[in-house]
Amino acid sequence: MLNFDFYSPARILFGKDTEKQIGALLKPHATKVLLHYGGGSIKKSGLYDTVITSLKENGLSYVELGGVVPNPRLSLVHEGIALCKEEKVDLILAVGGGSAIDSAKAIAMGVYYDGDVWEIYEQSKAIEKALPVATILTIPAAGSEASGDTVITNEEKQLKYGYGSPHLRPLLSVMNPELFYTLPKNQIANGVADMMSHVFERYFTNTTHTDLTDGLCETVLKTIIKNAPLVLENPGNYDAWCEVGFGGTVAHNGLVGMGREQDWACHGMEHELSAIYDVAHGAGLAVLTPAWMQYVYKDNVNMFVQFAVNVMGVKGSYRDPDAMIQEAILRLREFFNKMGLPATLGELGIDASQLEIMAKKATGAAFGNEAPIGGLKKLYWQDVLEIYKLAQ
């Protein structure tokens, strides 16, 4: 096990009607709030009115910025930064899923940055502070409600970059699984693929003597695999949503990755799909993850056999580990198919024309400073290209 420094201060309020407490929760921390959200779904559901009422009852003033879209855009972040400065906002409340929260975090650190916030993403600049961010989660997937990470798309440059800092962990997050009931099935499925990938990126490691976090990773994965089909079948299944929703939070609050070398190659490869083709992040991960497994498993056969047995329930002869691993990858593909997720790049509308440039951008080769991605196996652009081809 490696040395680690685990710090996860985000307060989580979980359960029915917790969103009604938002004004009282924010009152000790703010006087003026930026309410940041996506489209009209929170207004149709009545959540918008609940939030506004709670803010007013607790004497909090607010300004609004809607319009967040999947793969949140830098242009809206710029708009939010200007609004916060003009209105002297002292806290950002993101109501939505990972896109709204990631956009809020970008705005929060951009308020204090003397320059274009994109430079922070592009150059991995350290930040010293950010506006506090609170969230009301409506789409469990990204785990951004408890993480210090944010991902933003620069639509002009067709680039999608992530950034992380302890200053970006939300002050508090409200999670009422009842708010997930009206999610479309494709959003449920995409969210499940995303949260599972957050575990995979930490689970598949060359670090040894990690029994505790191995077990945590495996339990989160099995819990999601068990309960995700239940919420897909019945979106009003509160108990199953509790398991899936909290599973998504634990998947990305950092705990399951402590003491381990992590990978993150699949996320790096998928960001290129989203940046150029604007595909749903979870859908892209569902296509790429089995292809990545197929390409890298021979670099750590034991790790993949453990996954086959402990997560996917494969039984077989340990004298034929390849057969066990292939069965595990097949079962993962079948699970994604059961959730209604795509299996190939073609299903995402992606042909072979951009594969090489995406591979070079993912590794930095396109910019003249190639650095391999991944932890379990270092991937150069030629490796990434082969994985993209496997995913076709």
Side-chain angles (χ1 to χ4, degrees):
M1 186 179 293
L2 306 177
N3 292 1
F4 64 86
D5 181 352
F6 181 59
Y7 177 65
S8 183
R11 179 183 178 186
I12 305 294
L13 288 94
F14 188 98
K16 296 180 179 181
D17 294 328
T18 46
E19 71 278 9
K20 296 178 181 178
Q21 304 175 41
I22 191 63
L25 293 167
L26 298 185
K27 188 174 181 178
H29 306 285
T31 57
K32 194 167 191 178
V33 173
L34 172 66
L35 178 58
H36 197 38
Y37 55 92
S41 61
I42 69 166
K43 294 184 177 180
K44 293 177 182 177
S45 69
L47 177 58
Y48 174 87
D49 291 335
T50 298
V51 171
I52 295 300
T53 297
S54 185
L55 293 177
K56 289 180 177 178
E57 287 178 347
N58 287 276
L60 296 175
S61 59
Y62 64 93
V63 292
E64 299 181 33
L65 181 62
V68 181
V69 296
N71 301 313
R73 306 297 200 264
L74 179 63
S75 56
L76 189 66
V77 170
H78 287 155
E79 187 177 340
I81 292 170
L83 183 60
C84 284
K85 289 181 177 179
E86 179 183 348
E87 295 289 340
K88 294 181 172 53
V89 164
D90 47 21
L91 183 144
I92 303 175
L93 173 60
V95 181
S99 295
I101 302 170
D102 282 6
S103 183
K105 292 175 179 179
I107 294 169
M109 64 181 177
V111 168
Y112 292 115
Y113 182 67
D114 186 18
D116 188 341
V117 69
W118 181 249
E119 295 171 359
I120 300 175
Y121 289 89
E122 198 168 39
Q123 301 171 31
S124 298
K125 289 190 171 185
I127 62 170
E128 296 181 0
K129 62 179 179 178
L131 282 177
V133 172
T135 86
I136 298 177
L137 189 67
T138 63
I139 305 173
S144 198
E145 69 276 2
S147 79
D149 300 325
T150 168
V151 180
I152 292 293
T153 297
N154 185 325
E155 60 269 47
E156 291 185 2
K157 295 184 177 182
Q158 289 192 318
L159 295 172
K160 182 178 180 181
Y161 287 163
Y163 180 80
S165 167
H167 298 292
L168 297 180
R169 283 194 188 266
L171 174 72
L172 60 90
S173 290
V174 170
M175 296 177 60
N176 176 1
E178 293 176 316
L179 300 179
F180 310 153
Y181 288 178
T182 57
L183 287 174
K185 289 189 175 182
N186 68 309
Q187 286 193 356
I188 295 174
N190 291 338
V192 165
D194 193 8
M195 59 182 72
M196 289 178 66
S197 182
H198 288 155
V199 182
F200 288 146
E201 301 283 24
R202 296 168 165 100
Y203 179 66
F204 289 104
T205 182
N206 293 319
T207 309
T208 56
H209 303 292
T210 54
D211 293 350
L212 178 60
T213 46
D214 279 2
L216 291 173
C217 287
E218 290 162 1
T219 296
V220 173
L221 288 169
K222 288 189 293 183
T223 297
I224 293 170
I225 290 170
K226 175 183 176 181
N227 287 278
L230 300 180
V231 298
L232 196 67
E233 178 183 345
N234 175 17
N237 188 330
Y238 179 81
D239 292 327
W241 265 128
C242 286
E243 303 287 358
V244 173
F246 191 46
T249 299
V250 175
H252 200 45
N253 74 347
L255 177 62
V256 301
M258 291 300 98
R260 317 165 68 88
E261 180 188 21
Q262 301 179 23
D263 195 87
W264 297 101
C266 285
H267 269 67
M269 292 186 291
E270 198 290 319
H271 284 173
E272 302 308 321
L273 309 186
S274 296
I276 295 178
Y277 293 96
D278 198 27
V279 303
H281 182 52
L285 290 169
V287 170
L288 291 176
T289 299
W292 171 84
M293 290 180 172
Q294 194 70 53
Y295 190 79
V296 307
Y297 81 86
K298 290 185 178 179
D299 283 67
N300 194 328
V301 170
N302 291 340
M303 185 78 247
F304 278 88
V305 169
Q306 180 176 321
F307 164 69
V309 175
N310 291 356
V311 178
M312 303 311 297
V314 175
K315 296 180 180 179
S317 171
Y318 287 95
R319 296 187 181 186
D320 192 1
D322 276 21
M324 298 179 72
I325 294 167
Q326 292 302 322
E327 176 64 21
I329 296 173
L330 175 62
R331 291 186 184 187
L332 180 62
R333 290 182 187 274
E334 289 175 342
F335 171 75
F336 285 155
N337 180 68
K338 183 179 181 180
M339 294 296 296
L341 288 158
T344 66
L345 292 179
E347 292 177 57
L348 294 172
I350 300 173
D351 59 24
S353 62
Q354 299 290 320
L355 297 186
E356 183 172 324
I357 186 60
M358 289 194 299
K360 289 180 176 179
K361 287 170 70 176
T363 59
F367 313 110
N369 55 347
E370 182 172 24
I373 60 174
L376 186 136
K377 178 181 176 67
K378 299 298 181 184
L379 303 175
Y380 293 85
W381 77 261
Q382 295 93 338
D383 299 301
V384 174
L385 179 59
E386 290 305 311
I387 293 172
Y388 283 149
K389 288 178 178 179
L390 283 173
Q392 285 187 287

